[in-house]
Amino acid sequence: MTFYLLQALNGLAYGMLLFLLAAGLSLIFGLMEVVNLAHGGFYMLGAYLALSAVRWTGSFWIAAIAVPLVLGAVGFLLEWEFLRPLYRRTHLDQILLTFGFAFVFSDLARWWWGADVQSLAPPPGLDRSIPLLGTFFPSYRLFVIALGAAMAGGLWLGLGRTRLGAMVRAGVANREMAQALGIDIGLVFTGVFAFGAALAGLAGVIAAPIQGVFPGVDFETLIVTLIVVVVGGLGTLPGSFWGSLLIGEVDTFGKTLVPQMALVVTYLVMAAVLIVRPTGLFGGRPR
Amino acid sequence: MTASLLQVSGLVARRGSVEVLHGIDLEARPGEILAIIGPNGAGKSTLLGAIAGVYPARAGRITLAGRPITGLPAEAVVRLGISLVPERRQVWSGLTVREHLLLGGYHRYWRHRSEVRADVALPQGIFPRLLDLDRRLGGSLSGGEQQMLAIGRGLMARPRILLLDEPSLGLGPLIVREIVHALDRLRRAEGLTVILVEQNVKAAMATADRVAVMERGRIVLRGTPAELLAHPGIKAAYLGKGYEIAG
């Protein structure tokens, strides 16, 4: 029993990481119908930059704050300089551009940080296991769960209770109508894109002590995040949240119980959800 | 008569790859209700959308009080005082009534926060039901309530011209009458100009000062309701026999 509870906690921690990734990807898609294929790249860069930042400053916490800000700025530049000129073209052109950036990020990382698997020590104070359920559990993972829950709560309040949030929701549900009300939807999108990049970067920083970072982690993460977004429903925050927790648990239990079939189990869950609800758990009507 | 507030000349617009408007000339005067009637597919909604900047003009010219607005994006047009209440209302099912109204005043919000908060009283005064529904989600409202909300949201931009696309669609006669009365009061109190697209020709004729008839992307006839009623073709095509203006 304890084994299952601990695995459930591990799955919860992984699910919270996925949520940080899925929230941004899902909102970006909901607003502009652009699948940001560079999203995994932001995650990977977040982890690598955290390594360098910790080496440089000696503090995990400085890295956890500075790296997302830097990647938010990179996301802003990517959207403003490269994506914006493509809005008159098809979505395929826009998606191809983000795919190109995914490769650029991938090669840059391999060139600068090398091809070895690297990992980051948890910050002091969170580097021990604490007694839990008659055994021991890494306190850092509990921190990840708490941080993810806090971010989810903050996002939920920000989207649900603020004017900016109302604008984003209005834009996701009906972009043309939002524009007709005088909302500069392009600016809202730039903001959401940059914010999504920062969240993905934060996920990378937070994940580095658990999962480590290595070449290819960007595309691996992108695929899992896409599965989450499809399962949860595009453009909905509750969908990203519950989809993340579901896939986090399924992946964790899959890897411990049927390791040779772990990825298959995740895909099976996705297929099952799509059969029952083709627009995802929380998705609305297809547009 | 006073000079025109909105002047449309030679307007050509597409929707997707199909040209829908083939050269529209139209003017709206301050404080008038101008109705546009015509069969389905005549291009009435496209005309409103093109004026509002939702569909780009391929040719022609639109001016608001002498100032050219052709080619401006929708978010710029609404700032200049033209507010669109689109077909099928386009209410957000996941946003509350109050959020709809505040978003309608969005473009003034950053600079005039308290003013926009106070402005909510205007649509609530015109449609008191919006006050009772304040915290309800758009998706939970009836058709008539959604229409009131859509108009209220459009009024939050403090427009000089309200473009109203088929407000009576799917609504009972009592609610249509309430909306028509509200428009009339707005016109008197605020000097609001309304361009009204309607399938319900009877309601349109009873409300409008002038009427334009559209067919296949062109305006084929224009005049006062009385003039159009005297026109034998119009009466037969749109109103049926035995119709009188008093209705």
Side-chain angles (χ1 to χ4, degrees):
Chain A
M1 195 60 210
T2 308
F3 168 78
Y4 289 102
L5 281 173
L6 290 179
Q7 287 308 321
L9 277 178
N10 278 332
L12 194 56
Y14 184 45
M16 290 299 182
L17 279 177
L18 288 178
F19 170 71
L20 293 179
L21 287 157
L25 193 69
S26 175
L27 281 178
I28 290 167
F29 183 85
L31 265 179
M32 288 327 232
E33 283 154 28
V34 173
V35 181
N36 176 20
L37 294 177
H39 213 67
F42 284 111
Y43 167 88
M44 178 196 63
L45 288 180
Y48 275 128
L49 285 171
L51 287 177
S52 297
V54 169
R55 256 177 235 147
W56 206 40
T57 67
S59 164
F60 177 84
W61 303 112
I62 291 177
I65 290 167
V67 168
L69 290 178
V70 168
L71 288 173
V74 172
F76 171 82
L77 282 177
L78 197 164
E79 199 280 338
W80 193 267
E81 286 295 324
F82 296 96
L83 210 47
R84 211 159 248 256
L86 293 186
Y87 287 153
R88 291 175 170 276
R89 312 260 288 266
T90 64
H91 290 315
L92 186 62
D93 289 348
Q94 299 157 18
I95 292 165
L96 275 176
L97 179 88
T98 67
F99 200 36
F101 270 96
F103 282 116
V104 170
F105 290 162
S106 179
D107 275 4
L108 270 179
R110 196 184 291 263
W111 168 68
W112 186 256
W113 284 283
D116 299 334
V117 177
Q118 304 188 56
S119 87
L120 190 62
L126 292 173
D127 50 358
R128 300 222 174 86
S129 289
I130 56 167
L132 192 76
L133 303 164
T135 172
F136 288 90
F137 192 76
S139 57
Y140 184 75
R141 292 192 186 203
L142 293 177
F143 160 75
V144 170
I145 293 170
L147 180 84
M151 294 299 293
L155 272 176
W156 184 72
L157 280 178
L159 267 180
R161 295 290 150 85
T162 67
R163 186 66 18 80
L164 201 60
M167 273 177 229
V168 173
R169 281 183 291 144
V172 168
N174 189 337
R175 182 164 22 133
E176 288 79 15
M177 190 62 232
Q179 274 172 308
L181 291 188
I183 295 173
D184 186 342
I185 209 74
L187 209 56
V188 173
F189 183 52
T190 307
V192 168
F193 195 92
F195 185 65
L199 272 185
L202 177 66
V205 178
I206 300 302
I210 300 180
Q211 316 227 308
V213 54
F214 47 90
V217 73
D218 44 352
F219 289 101
E220 261 178 37
T221 307
L222 176 69
I223 288 170
V224 182
T225 309
L226 284 171
I227 292 175
V228 166
V229 168
V230 167
V231 164
L234 293 162
T236 79
L237 194 68
S240 296
F241 185 73
W242 296 112
S244 296
L245 296 198
L246 176 67
I247 296 301
E249 296 293 354
V250 166
D251 185 84
T252 304
F253 277 101
K255 276 180 181 145
T256 43
L257 299 179
V258 278
Q260 65 280 28
M261 306 247 300
L263 202 54
V264 180
V265 175
T266 309
Y267 281 112
L268 282 177
V269 168
M270 176 173 80
V273 168
L274 290 184
I275 288 168
V276 182
R277 288 190 61 96
T279 55
L281 294 172
F282 290 80
R285 290 172 287 117
R287 281 190 284 184
Chain B
M1 200 67 191
T2 27
S4 66
L5 177 61
L6 181 81
Q7 187 86 46
V8 176
S9 42
L11 180 65
V12 175
R14 290 184 186 181
R15 211 158 158 171
S17 58
V18 184
E19 187 175 299
V20 178
L21 304 178
H22 315 294
I24 298 282
D25 297 306
L26 190 76
E27 59 153 2
R29 300 161 189 160
E32 79 168 343
I33 296 182
L34 169 65
I36 300 171
I37 63 173
N40 270 330
K44 305 184 297 291
S45 296
T46 308
L47 174 57
L48 290 194
I51 294 172
V54 177
Y55 308 117
R58 310 288 297 193
R61 207 175 135 75
I62 309 169
T63 59
L64 175 67
R67 176 183 177 162
I69 59 166
T70 329
L72 289 183
E75 66 254 30
V77 173
V78 68
R79 279 157 221 245
L80 294 173
I82 298 181
S83 198
L84 174 67
V85 181
E87 55 184 329
R88 295 188 312 275
R89 326 191 212 292
Q90 310 290 354
V91 160
W92 284 290
S93 56
L95 268 64
T96 65
V97 166
R98 173 162 291 256
E99 283 175 330
H100 278 84
L101 296 179
L102 289 175
L103 280 180
Y106 157 74
H107 58 280
R108 288 178 293 118
Y109 185 79
W110 303 119
R111 262 184 284 166
H112 307 282
R113 187 179 280 243
S114 58
E115 195 179 293
V116 174
R117 289 238 165 92
D119 274 0
V120 173
L122 172 71
Q124 285 171 343
I126 290 158
F127 301 116
R129 210 175 310 175
L130 292 182
L131 191 58
D132 307 329
L133 298 169
D134 202 44
R135 295 282 159 205
R136 288 266 297 277
L137 291 179
S140 73
L141 306 185
S142 71
E145 290 164 345
Q146 288 192 351
Q147 187 60 58
M148 292 176 195
L149 178 57
I151 294 174
R153 177 181 63 185
L155 290 173
M156 286 296 292
R158 288 199 173 165
R160 300 157 82 180
I161 302 178
L162 193 68
L163 307 175
L164 203 47
D165 200 342
E166 292 217 37
S168 74
L169 188 73
L171 302 185
L174 277 178
I175 291 185
V176 172
R177 192 174 304 168
E178 188 179 343
I179 288 170
V180 163
H181 280 312
L183 292 180
D184 203 45
R185 256 182 295 147
L186 276 169
R187 185 245 305 257
R188 283 172 212 282
E190 313 266 323
L192 183 72
T193 302
V194 180
I195 303 181
L196 173 71
V197 158
E198 258 304 342
Q199 293 276 349
N200 182 344
V201 175
K202 202 167 154 178
M205 289 288 201
T207 326
D209 301 302
R210 292 190 305 129
V211 180
V213 182
M214 260 185 98
E215 271 173 24
R216 276 176 259 112
R218 291 197 168 78
I219 290 185
V220 293
L221 205 60
R222 62 189 95 209
T224 64
E227 284 165 3
L228 288 197
L229 286 171
H231 193 283
I234 289 300
K235 199 167 166 177
Y238 294 107
L239 295 168
K241 284 179 185 159
Y243 177 83
E244 297 303 327
I245 190 167

